[in-house]
Amino acid sequence: HVQLVESGGGSVQAGDSLTLSCAVSGDTFSTLAFGWFRQSPGNERDGVASIGSDGMTRYLDSLKGRFTISRDNSKNTVYLQMNSLRPEDSAMYYCAADSLRYRSLGAVNWDFAGNYGYWGQGTQVTVS
C-alpha cells in the first residue's frame, strides 16, 4: 500500500520560492510515476507536473520555467520547486502516485487525476 505525505507549504510573498516535498511509503517508489496537482476554492483540481519512473517530466504549460518536479529514489521523496510565486499560485497542493507500476504517462494523460490511485492530504500554499 502506498501512502503519501506532503510538506513544505506555507504563506509567502509574491516572488518568493517554496519547495514542496512528498514522502512516500512502500517499496514500489522507484517503479511509480508521481504527479503534483493543485486546487483552489471553487476550481477544479489541475495537474501541475508529473515525473515518471524513468525521470521524464511534464508540466502545465503556463508553469514551465517556474516550477520543477524532481524525485529522489534513495529517499522515497518527490519534490516540487516553485519559484517566482504569484498570488494565482495559491492553492492546496496534492501529491499523487500512479495506480500502475512502470506506466509511462504521456503528454495527453499525465494530468488526468484518474490515473493516480494514491493521494496525499495536501499542503496549503498561500501567496500574497
Side-chain angles (χ1 to χ4, degrees):
H1 184 65
V2 178
Q3 291 184 308
L4 303 93
V5 179
E6 303 97 333
S7 62
S11 296
V12 298
Q13 298 293 315
D16 286 352
S17 297
L18 274 178
T19 299
L20 306 183
S21 298
C22 176
V24 183
S25 67
D27 58 1
T28 58
F29 181 88
S30 64
T31 70
L32 295 174
F34 293 90
W36 283 98
F37 289 74
R38 67 184 183 183
Q39 187 172 22
S40 54
N43 293 315
E44 295 184 351
R45 188 172 295 191
D46 292 326
V48 171
S50 73
I51 186 165
S53 58
D54 59 356
M56 172 72 75
T57 58
R58 302 193 186 277
Y59 296 92
L60 182 65
D61 284 346
S62 62
L63 299 178
K64 287 180 181 178
R66 289 200 299 125
F67 287 21
T68 303
I69 189 171
S70 61
R71 63 190 296 160
D72 186 336
N73 288 351
S74 69
K75 296 182 178 179
N76 278 23
T77 302
V78 183
Y79 304 97
L80 184 69
Q81 172 71 39
M82 306 184 294
N83 297 327
S84 302
L85 284 163
R86 305 168 182 171
E88 54 263 39
D89 295 320
S90 297
M92 186 71 79
Y93 282 73
Y94 298 91
C95 179
D98 195 346
S99 303
L100 301 177
R101 300 172 66 185
Y102 298 115
R103 175 163 57 178
S104 178
L105 295 173
V108 296
N109 66 349
W110 69 267
D111 57 347
F112 176 54
N115 285 327
Y116 298 86
Y118 308 96
W119 293 80
Q121 81 289 348
T123 186
Q124 178 69 40
V125 173
T126 302
V127 185
S128 58

